[in-house]
Amino acid sequence: MQISRTTRLNRRIVLLLYLLGVSWIGWSRILEIRVMNTWKVVLGVSVMLFAGSLESFAAKASGENGLNGVGSRLFMNYGCSNCHGIDGASPSYSAAPVLRGKNRDYLYDSAVSIFAGKRNTENASIMHDQYCHDDDNETACESAPGNDELLIISRWLDTGYTLAKKKRTPQKLYVTAKEAHDMLSSQAEQSLFVDVRTRAEAAFVGVPAGIDAHIPFMVVGSWNGLDEKNGKIKLHANSNFYHDFEKTLESKGLKKDDRVILICRSGSRSAKAARVLHIAGYKNVYSVIDGFEGDKKKDGMNKGQRVVNGWKNSGLPWSYKLPSEKLAWDIP
């Protein structure tokens, strides 16, 4: 294993401190000074520096460089990618959760709990039954990852490394459309669900069931304004977005620390809206990373079309009928 410059420097410092300590011991004997404390100081500093090297090593395990490849490799070798996608953010079936970007401690504790057989949900059972366990006599199964490996995988998933930059948020709270729907099914009263797409999208593509408000984050400036490079109508920021958002939050009797779920077409504008809300002090904001229409298919039949994931493609309830009482009307 290649030794980092930081580790080499720390070792040199430890050696220097050791030599200084030895020299000091000689003088201490001459001056009849007790040397035990000197050794304690040298040993203490050495341990601190060594611990710092380990911390640096651990940090690299979770970063975009260093051991990022190890986390990815373990994730695939243990078959986690079969259900959650190679990046942990592209589940192969609707019931599988997005793992990418979630807190490392939460991921680690959840995995340990599942492998210990302490979770009774359907997803937990599927995950548990993929692997051999100490109390089983199975032979046709794979060995489960150990706690150290789970820790590396959890750190790798916590980085948000492979999630498209335009979809990342300061809050690092991400859900798929399916997860958002499940969350709202049981906790709708404690959550604010806001559609931030344009009014035209809501009118002609449809709206997800259960929204608390439709507040466009961006609006059409002029139907004559064309983005030549991308072949799309230009959009500009809705100057009333934050005002309408706060008004909606207050009308539902919620506060800044209550859960907010934002949805747009495919997770880009909802991330932008989450950044704005973060500046205003909102820390509990979730972005639906696949949005209402989903991501574009990258190859094969229907390439370039939004048929991969998203609210509509997941078979979740939606309608073309716009709820007038939930529309923000003061759009500039």
Side-chain angles (χ1 to χ4, degrees):
M1 183 178 69
Q2 186 176 2
I3 300 174
S4 69
R5 293 176 58 188
T6 302
T7 302
R8 289 197 298 268
L9 178 61
N10 284 347
R11 288 181 178 178
R12 290 172 184 170
I13 293 173
V14 170
L15 178 60
L16 177 61
L17 288 169
Y18 172 79
L19 293 174
L20 288 172
V22 171
S23 300
W24 175 247
I25 289 170
W27 284 104
S28 296
R29 284 176 176 171
I30 295 172
L31 299 173
E32 297 183 353
I33 299 175
R34 296 181 64 182
V35 300
M36 187 59 68
N37 289 337
T38 302
W39 272 111
K40 287 181 180 179
V41 171
V42 173
L43 181 61
V45 172
S46 301
V47 170
M48 287 173 63
L49 287 169
F50 181 67
S53 298
L54 291 178
E55 181 65 24
S56 174
F57 179 81
K60 288 183 179 180
S62 64
E64 295 185 0
N65 300 312
L67 292 184
N68 184 65
V70 175
S72 174
R73 197 156 55 245
L74 289 172
F75 191 74
M76 295 186 68
N77 289 347
Y78 281 108
C80 309
S81 56
N82 294 337
C83 294
H84 304 285
I86 59 173
D87 58 356
S90 308
S92 58
Y93 65 100
S94 60
V98 169
L99 302 180
R100 169 66 56 196
K102 291 186 176 177
N103 180 269
R104 67 183 66 184
D105 294 331
Y106 167 79
L107 291 170
Y108 175 78
D109 292 341
S110 296
V112 170
S113 178
I114 289 171
F115 287 133
K118 297 179 180 179
R119 296 281 183 93
N120 298 319
T121 65
E122 182 180 353
N123 280 345
S125 298
I126 293 172
M127 181 174 169
H128 179 275
D129 294 344
Q130 284 190 73
Y131 304 99
C132 301
H133 301 279
D134 294 338
D135 56 346
D136 296 333
N137 296 317
E138 301 175 272
T139 55
C141 56
E142 300 292 335
S143 297
N147 288 357
D148 290 343
E149 292 167 315
L150 287 174
L151 187 60
I152 292 175
I153 292 173
S154 299
R155 284 171 173 160
W156 174 69
L157 289 168
D158 188 24
T159 61
Y161 178 60
T162 57
L163 186 63
K165 186 176 181 180
K166 63 182 179 180
K167 295 189 179 188
R168 299 180 203 171
T169 70
Q171 296 91 343
K172 293 185 179 181
L173 297 175
Y174 311 110
V175 288
T176 62
K178 176 66 169 56
E179 288 179 310
H181 178 263
D182 291 345
M183 192 180 289
L184 291 164
S185 295
S186 60
Q187 303 173 47
E189 294 304 315
Q190 295 80 41
S191 307
L192 189 72
F193 185 27
V194 180
D195 185 343
V196 300
R197 296 173 300 147
T198 64
R199 186 58 48 82
E201 287 173 289
F204 300 116
V205 183
V207 293
I211 60 170
D212 291 298
H214 176 265
I215 310 172
F217 180 72
M218 303 188 77
V219 295
V220 177
S222 169
W223 289 108
N224 296 322
L226 180 67
D227 181 346
E228 297 285 353
K229 181 180 179 180
N230 297 311
K232 299 176 181 178
I233 298 296
K234 291 182 179 179
L235 301 177
H236 68 256
N238 174 11
S239 58
N240 289 328
F241 172 78
Y242 183 68
H243 169 75
D244 290 335
F245 174 85
E246 280 208 315
K247 188 168 61 176
T248 304
L249 186 79
E250 292 173 5
S251 67
K252 193 171 181 179
L254 299 177
K255 299 179 181 179
K256 263 189 177 181
D257 55 352
D258 286 315
R259 181 190 298 110
V260 174
I261 300 175
L262 304 177
I263 188 170
C264 64
R265 181 183 62 188
S266 56
S268 178
R269 275 170 290 169
S270 59
K272 291 179 180 178
R275 292 174 203 142
V276 169
L277 294 177
H278 181 265
I279 294 172
Y282 288 84
K283 309 299 182 185
N284 197 17
V285 180
Y286 288 75
S287 176
V288 180
I289 60 173
D290 49 347
F292 185 67
E293 294 186 62
D295 296 306
K296 292 179 180 178
K297 192 174 183 183
K298 295 182 179 179
D299 49 35
M301 186 178 296
N302 300 319
K303 178 181 178 181
Q305 297 180 16
R306 298 186 183 279
V307 296
V308 178
N309 46 25
W311 192 280
K312 292 183 77 172
N313 293 318
S314 298
L316 302 175
W318 64 278
S319 174
Y320 283 118
K321 185 177 181 180
L322 301 181
S324 60
E325 72 282 1
K326 297 180 180 180
L327 303 180
W329 291 105
D330 56 344
I331 298 175

